[in-house]
Amino acid sequence: MSQFAPPKTMLSAKNLTCVRGKRSLFSGLHFSLNEGQWLHVCGENGTGKTSLLRILAGLVKPVEGDIYWEELPIQKNREDFHRNLLFLGHHEAIKEELSALENLKLAAALDGGVLPEAAALEALWRFGLKGREDLPVYCLSAGQKRRVLLARLQTRKAKLWILDEPFTSLDVKAVAMLSALISQHIESGGMAILTSHQTIPIPNGRILQL
């Protein structure tokens, strides 16, 4: 009988500890995530949700513990990990003096790629920004600015989405649209880790309570 090796775990966190100042936000935290799965990180303000996401994205180091991508520490697998990662922070910056279209093209260039204008326009229109794609971002409302940022979910091909409060400043229609986009990503074999103070209308998620 032939033997098959079990599939590799895509993302795992082992024994993570985070300290801010003299206060321990969390310790001994561990979980794993595979294709087609998503995780809802919950907790009161100040419990370390954003800190955890930044640790998972490799932006800061935990006091203890490690992050693994395909069962290798991300420090030893950094290029492949970052190629498969899209991190959008709660306060992620967009350049106010540039247009929505220019912001998407710049983000693609910083990722080392070239974004065709047709693809950028399709993403912006999907997020309800048709007619506003060439306006300087400072002319847009808070919700519209958030939509510019979230349009990257469609233009940046990545297996793992790490999203800090992605539903902030969105109206009911935009929340439904973003939920559908995340669901499609999960159903197609992607993965997502989200923080949100509200109920997320996406099925089959797991909750990590901090």
Side-chain angles (χ1 to χ4, degrees), residues 16-71:
L16 293 184
T17 296
C18 177
V19 175
R20 182 182 298 160
K22 295 182 178 180
R23 180 186 172 205
S24 176
L25 297 181
F26 52 81
S27 62
L29 187 149
H30 62 274
F31 68 86
S32 62
L33 201 67
N34 279 312
E35 295 174 341
Q37 298 179 339
W38 73 278
L39 190 68
H40 182 185
V41 180
C42 301
E44 299 296 326
N45 290 337
T47 55
K49 299 187 299 298
T50 294
S51 296
L52 173 60
L53 264 56
R54 290 178 61 81
I55 288 172
L56 295 176
L59 298 176
V60 295
K61 292 183 178 180
V63 173
E64 293 182 7
D66 291 290
I67 310 297
Y68 296 83
W69 178 253
E70 293 189 320
E71 301 182 1

Side-chain angles (χ1 to χ4, degrees), residues 121 124-134:
L121 289 173
L124 292 170
W125 293 350
R126 179 172 184 173
F127 276 88
L129 292 167
K130 190 169 187 177
R132 297 176 175 85
E133 55 274 282
D134 292 318

